[in-house]
Amino acid sequence: MSIASSGMRAASLEVQAAAANVARLSVEGAARIGVAQTSVVGGGVEAGVVEAAPDPGAPVSDLLAAKDAVLAFTANATLIRRSDQMLGALLDERG
């Protein structure tokens, strides 16, 4: 479950970064941000905000990145929910 929860944190950060980029579109010279992810020994990811290269496709690429992150968050949340259900079923069977 820690792998899925780290994926949820990373996806949440990606949505925040995309939203920040869209919010700063009208600010002249505002730096774009992105999210860098690195794998963690034992499973999961660490995510951090980094400066991103200018994107002539913004805000479309930011909106697509946010949608992708929402899907990743949902998939990880589903994994946690299913794992919890399986554990509950196992405990019911053993009890």
Side-chain angles (χ1 to χ4, degrees):
M1 281 209 253
S2 66
I3 294 171
S5 63
S6 71
M8 290 173 68
R9 284 190 299 275
S12 177
L13 190 57
E14 287 191 40
V15 170
Q16 292 173 23
N21 286 335
V22 170
R24 292 192 305 234
L25 276 174
S26 61
V27 178
E28 184 69 32
R32 293 181 45 75
I33 58 173
V35 176
Q37 296 184 33
T38 56
S39 60
V40 176
V41 174
V45 295
E46 277 187 8
V49 176
V50 296
E51 190 169 332
D55 182 3
V60 173
S61 60
D62 290 318
L63 295 174
L64 291 174
K67 181 65 175 173
D68 186 48
V70 167
L71 291 173
F73 186 95
T74 303
N76 283 303
T78 300
L79 180 78
I80 289 173
R81 189 171 40 257
R82 295 289 185 248
S83 178
D84 185 52
Q85 290 171 345
M86 287 174 42
L87 182 58
L90 178 63
L91 291 174
D92 290 344
E93 190 68 31
R94 302 285 283 172

